[in-house]
Amino acid sequence: MNTKKRLLALTPTELKSVVNGLGMPAFTAKQIAQWLYEKHVRSIDEMTNISKQNRQRLAEEYEVGALAPIDCQRSKDGTIKYLFPVCCCDTSTNDTERFVETVYIPDGDRATICVSCQVGCKMNCLFCQTGKQGWQGNLTAADILNQIYAIPEADSLTNIVFMGQGEPMDNLDAVLKVCEIMTAPWGYQWSPKRITVSSVGVRGKLKRYLDESECHVAISMHSPLHEQRLQLMPAEKAMPITETIALLRQYDFTHQRRCSFEYICFRGLNDSPLYGREIVKLLNGLECRVNLIRFHEIPEVDLPSSDEKRMEALRDYLTHHGITTTIRASRGQDILAACGLLSTAKQRPL
Protein backbone atom coordinates (compact mmCIF):
# COMPACT_ATOMS: atom_id res chain seq x y z
CA MET A 1 0.00 0.00 0.00
CA ASN A 2 1.35 3.44 -0.98
CA THR A 3 1.73 5.64 2.11
CA LYS A 4 3.55 8.56 0.47
CA LYS A 5 2.00 12.01 0.71
CA ARG A 6 1.13 14.04 -2.39
CA LEU A 7 2.83 17.29 -3.35
CA LEU A 8 0.06 18.10 -5.83
CA ALA A 9 -2.21 20.94 -4.63
CA LEU A 10 0.18 22.14 -1.92
CA THR A 11 0.61 25.92 -1.69
CA PRO A 12 4.02 27.63 -1.31
CA THR A 13 3.39 27.97 2.43
CA GLU A 14 2.64 24.27 2.71
CA LEU A 15 5.66 23.41 0.58
CA LYS A 16 7.86 25.50 2.87
CA SER A 17 6.70 23.35 5.79
CA VAL A 18 7.56 20.23 3.78
CA VAL A 19 11.11 21.32 2.94
CA ASN A 20 11.73 22.70 6.42
CA GLY A 21 10.65 19.40 7.92
CA LEU A 22 13.12 17.58 5.67
CA GLY A 23 16.00 19.94 6.44
CA MET A 24 16.13 21.32 2.90
CA PRO A 25 16.80 24.97 1.92
CA ALA A 26 13.71 27.21 2.07
CA PHE A 27 14.07 28.22 -1.61
CA THR A 28 13.40 24.59 -2.57
CA ALA A 29 9.70 25.20 -1.91
CA LYS A 30 9.56 27.73 -4.75
CA GLN A 31 11.40 25.32 -7.04
CA ILE A 32 8.92 22.55 -6.30
CA ALA A 33 5.98 24.89 -6.96
CA GLN A 34 7.46 25.81 -10.35
CA TRP A 35 7.92 22.16 -11.28
CA LEU A 36 4.35 21.37 -10.29
CA TYR A 37 2.38 24.33 -11.60
CA GLU A 38 4.49 25.67 -14.47
CA LYS A 39 6.09 22.50 -15.85
CA HIS A 40 3.55 19.91 -14.67
CA VAL A 41 6.04 17.16 -13.91
CA ARG A 42 4.90 13.66 -12.97
CA SER A 43 7.84 12.62 -10.78
CA ILE A 44 10.26 14.14 -8.30
CA ASP A 45 13.17 12.87 -10.42
CA GLU A 46 12.18 15.43 -13.07
CA MET A 47 12.90 18.32 -10.67
CA THR A 48 16.44 18.60 -11.95
CA ASN A 49 17.45 21.92 -10.34
CA ILE A 50 17.01 20.28 -6.92
CA SER A 51 20.07 18.32 -5.79
CA LYS A 52 19.93 14.56 -6.21
CA GLN A 53 20.34 14.10 -2.46
CA ASN A 54 17.37 16.37 -1.72
CA ARG A 55 15.26 14.72 -4.41
CA GLN A 56 15.94 11.36 -2.78
CA ARG A 57 15.09 12.76 0.64
CA LEU A 58 11.85 14.24 -0.72
CA ALA A 59 10.91 11.01 -2.53
CA GLU A 60 11.20 8.97 0.65
CA GLU A 61 8.05 10.59 2.03
CA TYR A 62 6.40 12.34 -0.92
CA GLU A 63 5.38 11.90 -4.53
CA VAL A 64 3.94 14.30 -7.07
CA GLY A 65 0.69 12.38 -6.82
CA ALA A 66 -0.54 12.80 -10.38
CA LEU A 67 -2.87 9.86 -11.02
CA ALA A 68 -3.60 8.96 -14.63
CA PRO A 69 -7.21 8.23 -15.62
CA ILE A 70 -7.93 4.52 -15.68
CA ASP A 71 -10.49 4.64 -18.47
CA CYS A 72 -11.86 6.96 -21.13
CA GLN A 73 -14.79 7.04 -23.52
CA ARG A 74 -14.87 9.10 -26.72
CA SER A 75 -18.03 10.64 -28.10
CA LYS A 76 -18.77 11.02 -31.78
CA ASP A 77 -18.78 14.80 -31.19
CA GLY A 78 -15.20 14.82 -29.83
CA THR A 79 -16.08 14.94 -26.14
CA ILE A 80 -14.00 12.64 -23.94
CA LYS A 81 -15.09 11.28 -20.56
CA TYR A 82 -12.33 10.16 -18.18
CA LEU A 83 -12.59 7.96 -15.11
CA PHE A 84 -10.26 8.87 -12.24
CA PRO A 85 -9.47 6.99 -9.03
CA VAL A 86 -9.73 9.30 -6.00
CA CYS A 87 -8.77 9.43 -2.33
CA CYS A 88 -11.80 10.94 -0.57
CA CYS A 89 -10.86 12.88 2.52
CA ASP A 90 -13.85 12.23 4.77
CA THR A 91 -15.40 8.85 4.08
CA SER A 92 -16.19 6.53 6.95
CA THR A 93 -15.03 3.37 5.19
CA ASN A 94 -11.99 2.51 3.12
CA ASP A 95 -13.16 -0.85 1.78
CA THR A 96 -14.13 0.50 -1.62
CA GLU A 97 -12.07 2.08 -4.35
CA ARG A 98 -13.78 5.29 -5.42
CA PHE A 99 -13.92 7.09 -8.76
CA VAL A 100 -15.16 10.26 -10.40
CA GLU A 101 -15.91 11.14 -13.99
CA THR A 102 -14.37 14.15 -15.72
CA VAL A 103 -15.37 15.51 -19.11
CA TYR A 104 -13.12 17.17 -21.70
CA ILE A 105 -15.08 19.26 -24.22
CA PRO A 106 -13.23 20.62 -27.28
CA ASP A 107 -15.04 23.32 -29.24
CA GLY A 108 -13.07 25.14 -31.92
CA ASP A 109 -10.41 27.24 -30.23
CA ARG A 110 -11.88 26.50 -26.80
CA ALA A 111 -11.26 23.42 -24.69
CA THR A 112 -13.26 23.10 -21.48
CA ILE A 113 -12.85 20.58 -18.70
CA CYS A 114 -15.81 19.77 -16.47
CA VAL A 115 -14.42 18.62 -13.13
CA SER A 116 -16.01 16.77 -10.21
CA CYS A 117 -15.60 17.72 -6.55
CA GLN A 118 -17.43 14.86 -4.80
CA VAL A 119 -18.15 11.19 -5.29
CA GLY A 120 -21.90 11.34 -5.68
CA CYS A 121 -23.86 14.28 -4.28
CA LYS A 122 -26.06 15.13 -1.28
CA MET A 123 -28.38 17.49 -3.18
CA ASN A 124 -30.48 14.69 -4.77
CA CYS A 125 -31.94 16.81 -7.57
CA LEU A 126 -34.71 14.83 -9.27
CA PHE A 127 -33.25 15.19 -12.77
CA CYS A 128 -29.59 14.35 -12.00
CA GLN A 129 -28.01 10.90 -12.20
CA THR A 130 -25.18 11.85 -9.85
CA GLY A 131 -27.60 12.45 -7.00
CA LYS A 132 -29.11 9.00 -7.46
CA GLN A 133 -25.88 7.37 -6.23
CA GLY A 134 -25.95 9.33 -2.97
CA TRP A 135 -22.98 11.04 -1.41
CA GLN A 136 -19.85 8.94 -0.88
CA GLY A 137 -17.19 11.50 0.01
CA ASN A 138 -15.55 14.84 -0.68
CA LEU A 139 -12.54 14.93 -2.96
CA THR A 140 -9.28 16.36 -1.70
CA ALA A 141 -7.91 19.44 -3.46
CA ALA A 142 -5.28 17.14 -4.98
CA ASP A 143 -7.97 14.88 -6.46
CA ILE A 144 -9.80 17.86 -7.96
CA LEU A 145 -6.63 19.40 -9.36
CA ASN A 146 -5.49 16.03 -10.67
CA GLN A 147 -8.43 15.97 -13.09
CA ILE A 148 -6.94 19.08 -14.70
CA TYR A 149 -3.30 18.07 -14.27
CA ALA A 150 -3.41 14.50 -15.52
CA ILE A 151 -5.54 14.43 -18.68
CA PRO A 152 -3.57 14.09 -21.94
CA GLU A 153 -5.12 17.34 -23.22
CA ALA A 154 -4.06 19.39 -20.17
CA ASP A 155 -1.96 21.84 -22.16
CA SER A 156 -4.86 22.70 -24.49
CA LEU A 157 -7.34 23.71 -21.77
CA THR A 158 -8.84 27.19 -21.96
CA ASN A 159 -11.68 26.92 -19.41
CA ILE A 160 -12.68 25.00 -16.29
CA VAL A 161 -16.22 24.46 -15.06
CA PHE A 162 -17.01 22.90 -11.68
CA MET A 163 -20.13 21.23 -13.02
CA GLY A 164 -19.26 17.55 -12.75
CA GLN A 165 -20.19 15.24 -9.88
CA GLY A 166 -21.06 16.90 -6.58
CA GLU A 167 -22.03 20.30 -5.21
CA PRO A 168 -18.94 22.56 -5.13
CA MET A 169 -20.16 24.61 -2.15
CA ASP A 170 -20.48 21.38 -0.19
CA ASN A 171 -16.71 20.90 -0.55
CA LEU A 172 -15.79 24.56 -0.54
CA ASP A 173 -12.34 24.50 1.10
CA ALA A 174 -10.99 22.17 -1.56
CA VAL A 175 -12.70 24.04 -4.41
CA LEU A 176 -11.35 27.41 -3.24
CA LYS A 177 -7.87 25.97 -2.92
CA VAL A 178 -7.94 24.66 -6.49
CA CYS A 179 -9.23 28.02 -7.74
CA GLU A 180 -6.35 29.71 -5.90
CA ILE A 181 -3.79 27.37 -7.47
CA MET A 182 -5.24 27.95 -10.93
CA THR A 183 -5.16 31.78 -10.64
CA ALA A 184 -2.21 32.55 -8.33
CA PRO A 185 1.05 34.07 -9.68
CA TRP A 186 2.88 31.05 -8.23
CA GLY A 187 0.33 28.64 -9.72
CA TYR A 188 -1.16 28.29 -13.19
CA GLN A 189 -1.57 32.08 -13.52
CA TRP A 190 -4.98 31.79 -15.18
CA SER A 191 -7.47 34.64 -15.26
CA PRO A 192 -10.40 33.98 -12.90
CA LYS A 193 -12.75 34.59 -15.84
CA ARG A 194 -11.65 31.22 -17.28
CA ILE A 195 -13.18 29.37 -14.30
CA THR A 196 -16.87 28.89 -13.46
CA VAL A 197 -18.13 27.28 -10.27
CA SER A 198 -21.69 25.99 -10.20
CA SER A 199 -24.02 25.72 -7.20
CA VAL A 200 -27.62 24.98 -6.29
CA GLY A 201 -27.22 27.63 -3.59
CA VAL A 202 -25.91 26.56 -0.17
CA ARG A 203 -26.57 28.84 2.79
CA GLY A 204 -23.39 30.49 4.05
CA LYS A 205 -21.12 28.67 1.64
CA LEU A 206 -22.20 30.59 -1.47
CA LYS A 207 -21.52 33.91 0.25
CA ARG A 208 -18.09 32.75 1.31
CA TYR A 209 -17.31 31.68 -2.25
CA LEU A 210 -18.39 35.06 -3.62
CA ASP A 211 -16.28 36.86 -0.99
CA GLU A 212 -13.13 34.77 -1.35
CA SER A 213 -13.01 34.09 -5.09
CA GLU A 214 -13.13 36.20 -8.24
CA CYS A 215 -14.17 33.30 -10.48
CA HIS A 216 -17.54 33.17 -12.23
CA VAL A 217 -20.60 31.71 -10.53
CA ALA A 218 -23.39 29.66 -12.14
CA ILE A 219 -26.59 29.00 -10.19
CA SER A 220 -28.79 26.00 -10.91
CA MET A 221 -32.27 27.51 -11.11
CA HIS A 222 -34.45 25.13 -13.21
CA SER A 223 -37.65 26.78 -11.98
CA PRO A 224 -38.42 30.33 -10.81
CA LEU A 225 -41.31 29.07 -8.65
CA HIS A 226 -40.67 27.97 -5.06
CA GLU A 227 -42.99 24.94 -4.89
CA GLN A 228 -41.95 23.56 -8.25
CA ARG A 229 -38.24 24.11 -7.63
CA LEU A 230 -38.63 22.38 -4.27
CA GLN A 231 -40.04 19.31 -6.05
CA LEU A 232 -37.12 19.31 -8.48
CA MET A 233 -34.40 20.36 -6.03
CA PRO A 234 -34.65 19.64 -2.29
CA ALA A 235 -32.01 22.35 -1.66
CA GLU A 236 -34.73 24.93 -2.35
CA LYS A 237 -36.03 24.31 1.18
CA ALA A 238 -32.80 25.42 2.88
CA MET A 239 -31.96 28.28 0.50
CA PRO A 240 -34.82 29.40 -1.77
CA ILE A 241 -33.90 30.79 -5.16
CA THR A 242 -35.24 34.18 -4.04
CA GLU A 243 -32.68 34.26 -1.19
CA THR A 244 -29.92 33.20 -3.54
CA ILE A 245 -30.73 36.02 -5.93
CA ALA A 246 -30.99 38.51 -3.07
CA LEU A 247 -27.45 37.48 -2.08
CA LEU A 248 -26.18 37.82 -5.65
CA ARG A 249 -27.56 41.36 -5.84
CA GLN A 250 -24.98 42.37 -3.21
CA TYR A 251 -22.13 41.73 -5.68
CA ASP A 252 -20.93 43.53 -8.80
CA PHE A 253 -21.25 41.51 -12.01
CA THR A 254 -20.99 44.47 -14.37
CA HIS A 255 -17.28 43.98 -15.09
CA GLN A 256 -15.32 40.78 -15.77
CA ARG A 257 -16.92 38.51 -13.22
CA ARG A 258 -20.02 36.79 -14.58
CA CYS A 259 -23.18 35.48 -12.96
CA SER A 260 -25.22 32.94 -14.89
CA PHE A 261 -28.20 30.69 -14.27
CA GLU A 262 -28.55 27.12 -15.47
CA TYR A 263 -32.07 26.19 -16.53
CA ILE A 264 -32.96 22.66 -17.66
CA CYS A 265 -36.09 22.76 -19.83
CA PHE A 266 -38.82 20.18 -19.27
CA ARG A 267 -41.58 20.08 -21.89
CA GLY A 268 -44.84 21.54 -20.63
CA LEU A 269 -43.44 21.86 -17.11
CA ASN A 270 -41.17 24.92 -17.01
CA ASP A 271 -40.72 26.04 -20.62
CA SER A 272 -43.88 28.10 -21.30
CA PRO A 273 -44.21 31.91 -21.56
CA LEU A 274 -45.49 31.91 -17.96
CA TYR A 275 -42.06 30.79 -16.79
CA GLY A 276 -40.35 33.32 -19.00
CA ARG A 277 -42.33 36.09 -17.26
CA GLU A 278 -41.49 34.71 -13.81
CA ILE A 279 -37.78 34.49 -14.66
CA VAL A 280 -37.79 38.09 -15.88
CA LYS A 281 -39.46 39.23 -12.64
CA LEU A 282 -37.02 37.23 -10.53
CA LEU A 283 -33.88 38.47 -12.29
CA ASN A 284 -34.98 42.05 -12.89
CA GLY A 285 -32.02 44.42 -12.56
CA LEU A 286 -29.43 41.69 -11.91
CA GLU A 287 -26.55 41.62 -14.40
CA CYS A 288 -26.61 37.99 -15.49
CA ARG A 289 -27.24 35.51 -18.28
CA VAL A 290 -29.32 32.36 -18.57
CA ASN A 291 -28.21 29.07 -20.12
CA LEU A 292 -31.05 26.85 -21.28
CA ILE A 293 -30.18 23.14 -21.15
CA ARG A 294 -31.88 20.13 -22.68
CA PHE A 295 -32.98 17.48 -20.22
CA HIS A 296 -31.17 14.20 -20.75
CA GLU A 297 -33.39 11.37 -19.63
CA ILE A 298 -32.28 9.18 -16.76
CA PRO A 299 -33.76 5.87 -15.55
CA GLU A 300 -36.91 5.90 -13.40
CA VAL A 301 -37.43 9.65 -13.73
CA ASP A 302 -40.60 10.61 -15.60
CA LEU A 303 -39.66 14.07 -16.87
CA PRO A 304 -40.10 15.01 -20.54
CA SER A 305 -37.41 16.94 -22.39
CA SER A 306 -38.40 20.21 -24.01
CA ASP A 307 -38.23 20.47 -27.80
CA GLU A 308 -36.14 22.90 -29.82
CA LYS A 309 -39.06 25.15 -30.74
CA ARG A 310 -40.16 25.72 -27.14
CA MET A 311 -36.60 26.32 -25.98
CA GLU A 312 -36.02 28.83 -28.76
CA ALA A 313 -39.24 30.64 -27.85
CA LEU A 314 -38.17 30.86 -24.20
CA ARG A 315 -34.70 32.05 -25.21
CA ASP A 316 -36.14 34.74 -27.47
CA TYR A 317 -38.59 35.91 -24.79
CA LEU A 318 -35.86 36.30 -22.17
CA THR A 319 -33.45 37.96 -24.60
CA HIS A 320 -36.18 40.39 -25.72
CA HIS A 321 -36.68 41.33 -22.07
CA GLY A 322 -33.02 42.15 -21.53
CA ILE A 323 -31.64 38.84 -20.23
CA THR A 324 -28.87 37.42 -22.41
CA THR A 325 -29.93 33.81 -22.97
CA THR A 326 -28.35 30.94 -24.86
CA ILE A 327 -29.24 27.31 -25.52
CA ARG A 328 -26.33 25.15 -24.45
CA ALA A 329 -25.30 22.55 -27.00
CA SER A 330 -25.55 18.98 -25.69
CA ARG A 331 -22.16 17.29 -25.77
CA GLY A 332 -21.21 13.69 -25.12
CA GLN A 333 -24.72 12.35 -24.66
CA ASP A 334 -23.81 9.08 -26.42
CA ILE A 335 -21.20 8.32 -23.72
CA LEU A 336 -23.35 9.58 -20.80
CA ALA A 337 -21.17 12.66 -20.43
CA ALA A 338 -23.86 15.32 -20.94
CA CYS A 339 -25.33 17.50 -18.20
CA GLY A 340 -26.85 15.45 -15.38
CA LEU A 341 -25.62 12.06 -16.60
CA LEU A 342 -22.36 11.60 -14.68
CA SER A 343 -22.32 8.74 -12.19
CA THR A 344 -19.86 6.37 -10.57
CA ALA A 345 -22.39 4.41 -8.56
CA LYS A 346 -20.71 1.14 -9.52
CA GLN A 347 -17.64 0.78 -7.31
CA ARG A 348 -14.98 -1.89 -7.23
CA PRO A 349 -14.34 -3.59 -3.85
CA LEU A 350 -10.68 -3.69 -2.87
Side-chain angles (χ1 to χ4, degrees):
M1 183 176 178
N2 185 5
T3 58
K4 290 185 179 180
K5 292 167 278 191
R6 299 166 84 176
L7 296 171
L8 193 64
L10 295 187
T11 65
T13 300
E14 291 169 327
L15 289 171
K16 284 179 184 177
S17 295
V18 169
V19 300
N20 288 341
L22 295 173
M24 297 162 61
F27 64 78
T28 311
K30 182 177 180 180
Q31 292 175 316
I32 296 172
Q34 289 173 331
W35 285 111
L36 291 173
Y37 306 128
E38 294 181 24
K39 300 178 182 177
H40 310 144
V41 298
R42 299 299 181 93
S43 72
I44 291 172
D45 281 342
E46 296 176 71
M47 302 179 182
T48 52
N49 63 350
I50 300 174
S51 72
K52 185 175 182 180
Q53 181 181 10
N54 281 337
R55 275 182 276 152
Q56 290 174 339
R57 189 178 303 168
L58 187 62
E60 287 175 3
E61 296 187 32
Y62 292 88
E63 61 184 0
V64 169
L67 305 176
I70 62 171
D71 191 20
C72 75
Q73 294 175 269
R74 297 178 184 272
S75 168
K76 59 187 178 184
D77 64 23
T79 300
I80 305 173
K81 183 171 71 171
Y82 290 103
L83 184 67
F84 280 98
V86 294
C87 308
C88 295
C89 62
D90 51 7
T91 51
S92 59
T93 60
N94 294 312
D95 59 350
T96 302
E97 190 174 6
R98 301 184 190 278
F99 307 92
V100 292
E101 294 183 325
T102 306
V103 183
Y104 169 75
I105 310 166
D107 184 16
D109 59 356
R110 290 169 58 93
T112 300
I113 186 166
C114 178
V115 300
S116 296
C117 60
Q118 295 180 309
V119 179
C121 185
K122 295 178 183 177
M123 299 301 118
N124 196 27
C125 297
L126 178 62
F127 47 81
C128 181
Q129 188 67 36
T130 304
K132 304 306 175 191
Q133 77 179 81
W135 178 80
Q136 297 169 340
N138 283 335
L139 301 195
T140 64
D143 277 328
I144 297 173
L145 184 62
N146 184 66
Q147 297 168 65
I148 302 161
Y149 198 96
I151 65 166
E153 301 82 9
D155 291 341
S156 71
L157 294 176
T158 62
N159 297 84
I160 298 167
V161 294
F162 285 77
M163 297 181 183
Q165 293 176 253
E167 163 58 53
M169 302 302 148
D170 204 29
N171 189 14
L172 186 55
D173 287 339
V175 168
L176 284 173
K177 188 174 187 183
V178 172
C179 289
E180 178 189 9
I181 291 168
M182 294 306 304
T183 57
W186 50 263
Y188 276 64
Q189 303 178 47
W190 277 31
S191 166
K193 67 181 181 180
R194 297 169 63 181
I195 302 170
T196 301
V197 178
S198 174
S199 179
V200 301
V202 178
R203 189 179 299 277
K205 300 291 186 69
L206 179 58
K207 184 180 189 307
R208 184 181 158 207
Y209 168 76
L210 293 167
D211 288 339
E212 296 183 21
S213 170
E214 296 180 359
C215 298
H216 298 323
V217 62
I219 300 298
S220 298
M221 180 192 290
H222 311 307
S223 175
L225 305 179
H226 171 72
E227 290 300 330
Q228 186 183 61
R229 189 171 187 258
L230 183 59
Q231 292 176 353
L232 294 170
M233 306 171 65
E236 169 73 5
K237 183 176 182 180
M239 191 167 182
I241 190 65
T242 52
E243 289 189 17
T244 299
I245 292 170
L247 173 63
L248 293 168
R249 291 187 188 280
Q250 300 174 26
Y251 296 84
D252 183 5
F253 296 105
T254 61
H255 299 290
Q256 288 193 338
R257 192 182 203 185
R258 187 171 67 234
C259 172
S260 59
F261 290 88
E262 311 296 304
Y263 195 91
I264 295 177
C265 292
F266 306 104
R267 187 177 69 251
L269 189 67
N270 68 347
D271 62 351
S272 69
L274 163 68
Y275 288 89
R277 291 193 293 272
E278 292 297 324
I279 293 170
V280 170
K281 284 172 25 180
L282 196 61
L283 301 182
N284 181 43
L286 178 65
E287 185 68 29
C288 64
R289 64 181 62 195
V290 172
N291 296 316
L292 303 181
I293 303 169
R294 293 170 183 81
F295 173 58
H296 303 107
E297 295 182 8
I298 61 176
E300 300 178 9
V301 174
D302 186 22
L303 288 171
S305 182
S306 190
D307 58 57
E308 194 76 16
K309 186 175 180 180
R310 293 174 74 95
M311 291 181 71
E312 289 175 353
L314 182 57
R315 176 199 62 193
D316 294 345
Y317 180 90
L318 295 175
T319 300
H320 178 73
H321 286 80
I323 301 173
T324 301
T325 304
T326 59
I327 297 175
R328 181 182 292 168
S330 290
R331 299 291 302 271
Q333 188 170 359
D334 57 323
I335 57 169
L336 301 181
C339 182
L341 297 182
L342 300 185
S343 176
T344 48
K346 295 181 179 179
Q347 305 290 344
R348 295 192 313 198
L350 293 176

